[in-house]
């Protein structure tokens, strides 16, 4: 069963298309460069505190993910939530996005 703090991968494309959320990939820059959700912003976990103000200025809920919704994504989610930013986890992380067959983007 999913949590109210999780967004299923199959629902994320519609939210992105409607520009209703900001998607944040908390993996390391090199991993992000290999493959990520189109439009996702790369904010590695150790930089999440520094990015709080910038993320808050977007005035959108933040959907956080890592490879499989593991510790890094949960720590980032907790940090954002504790600072009062509306946040959610991408259920299943990047692996769930890929499993749904959605497009991925690669950095050059």
């Amino acid at each position: 069963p999913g949590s109210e703090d999780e967004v299923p991968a199959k629902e994320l494309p519609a939210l992105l298309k409607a520009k209703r959320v900001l998607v944040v990939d908390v993996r390391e820059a090199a991993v992000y460069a290999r493959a990520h959700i189109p439009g996702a912003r790369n904010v590695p976990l150790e930089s999440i505190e520094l990015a709080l103000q910038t993320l808050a200025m977007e005035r959108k809920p933040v959907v956080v993910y890592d490879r499989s919704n593991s510790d890094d994504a949960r720590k980032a989610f907790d940090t954002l939530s504790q600072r009062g930013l509306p946040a959610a986890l991408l259920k299943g992380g990047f692996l769930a996005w890929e499993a749904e067959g959605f497009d991925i983007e690669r950095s050059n």
Side-chain angles (χ1 to χ4, degrees), residues 5 7 26 37 44 68-69 72 79 87 92 100 107:
D5 296 331
V7 174
V26 298
I37 294 171
S68 62
N69 218 5
D72 286 356
T79 299
E100 289 288 341
S107 300

Side-chain angles (χ1 to χ4, degrees), residues 35-85:
H36 55 270
I37 294 171
R41 209 176 277 187
N42 184 220
V43 182
L45 178 60
E46 64 273 4
S47 304
I48 205 81
E49 288 274 349
L50 297 171
L52 283 171
Q53 190 171 7
T54 304
L55 295 174
M57 287 171 36
E58 294 284 338
R59 299 191 184 279
K60 294 179 186 175
V62 178
V63 178
V64 178
Y65 75 92
D66 60 12
R67 180 176 182 268
S68 62
N69 218 5
S70 63
D71 290 346
D72 286 356
R74 293 186 183 282
K75 287 176 189 169
F77 167 78
D78 289 343
T79 299
L80 295 171
S81 297
Q82 289 165 3
R83 301 300 190 280
L85 268 72

Side-chain angles (χ1 to χ4, degrees), residues 7-29:
V7 174
K10 64 184 174 198
E11 293 178 14
L12 188 56
L15 294 171
L16 282 168
K17 188 174 181 182
K19 299 184 185 329
R20 295 193 44 211
V21 295
L22 177 64
V23 179
V24 173
D25 184 323
V26 298
R27 300 174 300 164
E28 294 297 318

